[in-house]
Amino acid sequence: RVIEPRLSLTVNKSGGLTFRITAGHMYYQTLKKLSSVISVLEDGMLIYEGRIISDETDLYNTKSVTCEGSLSYLIDSIQRPFSKTGNIRGFLEDMVESHNSQVEIRKQFQLGTINVTDENNELNRENTAVDNTWNILKTHLLDIHGGILWVSYQGGTKYLNYTHDMG
């Protein structure tokens, strides 16, 4: 158990989790910034996974921990300059494949539900600079087509979904 857990699930952002943990907790010493995986389950289902981005210890050795959600794993990979044509699914497949090749298995995604489409079903995208995968997806998909980019979890796999809404 942890003290004062607060989970914030947000649209098109990684979401956040904060909690406090006492020095007597069995995992107190094992929590490491950017490497520990923190999971939140609701009724036995995984609803959030993230990593620790900060922890501060008070006078009583109680840690205040702040986490960012698994969508933030997309900032850990880069996309080189590109010129792509095709459809949104193909573009996302290329971005996710490139991302997955650069990160460890726990930060990899599979494509989930994609129901956002381009009006002409012909996507033309070009980028001349190196940027992280999240910025590319935000600039070349979310800012143009709208929709929601979100992560779902099933059977130990993280699915990256791009939908009009979350249902």
Side-chain angles (χ1 to χ4, degrees):
R1 297 207 179 255
V2 295
I3 303 167
E4 299 174 355
R6 300 214 191 294
L7 177 61
S8 170
L9 300 175
T10 56
V11 173
N12 290 333
K13 294 185 180 173
S14 68
L17 172 68
T18 60
F19 62 90
R20 295 180 334 129
I21 186 169
T22 61
H25 194 283
M26 60 194 241
Y27 292 117
Y28 183 87
Q29 296 295 332
T30 62
L31 297 177
K32 304 288 183 227
K33 289 184 208 173
L34 299 178
S35 62
S36 293
V37 175
I38 307 296
S39 302
V40 176
L41 295 113
E42 182 176 64
D43 298 328
M45 291 182 55
L46 182 64
I47 61 167
Y48 174 90
E49 179 187 290
R51 60 184 173 192
I52 298 171
I53 56 172
S54 72
D55 63 349
E56 297 177 6
T57 306
D58 66 15
L59 293 173
Y60 302 102
N61 282 333
T62 299
K63 284 185 185 178
S64 294
V65 179
T66 302
C67 304
E68 62 182 358
S70 57
L71 196 58
S72 65
Y73 297 161
L74 294 170
I75 65 174
D76 295 347
S77 61
I78 61 164
Q79 299 293 329
R80 302 198 185 291
F82 61 82
S83 178
K84 296 188 182 292
T85 58
N87 58 31
I88 288 176
R89 176 173 280 282
F91 181 76
L92 262 171
E93 284 173 350
D94 290 349
M95 296 295 112
V96 168
E97 182 179 320
S98 176
H99 165 80
N100 288 348
S101 72
Q102 299 173 52
V103 298
E104 56 265 37
I105 291 173
R106 70 180 179 88
K107 295 180 181 179
Q108 293 180 1
F109 296 96
Q110 299 297 317
L111 280 185
T113 303
I114 300 169
N115 65 16
V116 177
T117 57
D118 186 65
E119 292 175 3
N120 306 331
N121 202 26
E122 184 64 31
L123 182 102
N124 293 306
R125 297 290 183 263
E126 186 172 305
N127 195 54
T128 58
V130 173
D131 205 349
N132 70 56
T133 302
W134 170 252
N135 286 341
I136 295 293
L137 295 179
K138 183 177 179 327
T139 303
H140 293 277
L141 291 180
L142 296 174
D143 291 349
I144 295 170
H145 302 285
I148 301 169
L149 202 57
W150 56 284
V151 179
S152 59
Y153 309 92
Q154 187 175 1
T157 301
K158 279 182 278 312
Y159 291 93
L160 186 62
N161 303 282
Y162 184 42
T163 58
H164 292 290
D165 57 37
M166 292 184 70

